[in-house]
């Protein structure tokens, strides 16, 4: 088993409700789950799944093996980041090189 070289960075818990489907009354979500990652509160422009440019207020970097958190999912940040619930705008698996390890990230409203 290969250890995660970024394990020491994964210290901030977020509560995730993964978007399961679009129902007749709006989106449906899986039960809440806690994931542990690294939160960066920084405004930046990202591409949404439809190709439009949107502004992200925060990014959560997570272990590469984290199950997908699809756009439209809801993420509740810890109190030190306002405790707010944000929507996932985009997700991406980052394939590293010899100098940069693999990780997964989600960009939030």
């Amino acid at each position: 088993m290969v250890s995660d070289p970024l394990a020491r960075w994964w210290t901030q818990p977020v509560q995730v409700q993964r978007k399961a489907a679009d129902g007749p009354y709006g989106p449906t979500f899986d039960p809440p789950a806690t994931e542990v990652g690294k939160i960066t509160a920084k405004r930046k422009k990202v591409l949404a799944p439809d190709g439009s440019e949107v502004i992200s207020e925060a990014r959560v970097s997570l272990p590469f093996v984290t199950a997908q958190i699809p756009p439209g999912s809801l993420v509740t940040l810890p109190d030190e980041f306002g405790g707010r619930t944000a929507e996932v705008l985009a997700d991406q698996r980052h394939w590293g090189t010899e100098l940069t390890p693999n990780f997964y990230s989600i960009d939030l409203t």
Side-chain angles (χ1 to χ4, degrees):
M1 181 174 165
V2 176
S3 65
D4 183 348
L6 297 175
R8 66 187 176 100
W9 291 94
W10 314 137
T11 61
Q12 298 163 321
V14 294
Q15 187 175 53
V16 176
Q17 289 181 274
R18 288 174 171 83
K19 183 177 178 184
D22 285 313
Y25 303 105
T28 59
F29 300 93
D30 291 338
T34 299
E35 301 288 350
V36 180
K38 168 111 172 78
I39 302 167
T40 306
K42 181 179 178 182
R43 183 175 284 182
K44 68 179 216 167
K45 195 181 305 186
V46 298
L47 286 179
D50 66 1
S52 64
E53 292 183 340
V54 292
I55 301 298
S56 169
E57 297 291 334
R59 170 179 270 190
V60 182
S61 299
L62 300 151
F64 186 78
V65 296
T66 301
Q68 183 185 20
I69 304 170
S73 298
L74 301 176
V75 175
T76 302
L77 299 172
D79 289 342
E80 58 266 29
F81 289 91
R84 69 185 181 91
T85 298
E87 183 178 336
V88 175
L89 296 170
D91 72 317
Q92 182 178 5
R93 295 224 186 258
H94 302 269
W95 296 89
T97 65
E98 291 177 14
L99 301 176
T100 58
N102 298 338
F103 68 99
Y104 177 63
S105 70
I106 53 175
D107 292 295
L108 308 174
T109 57

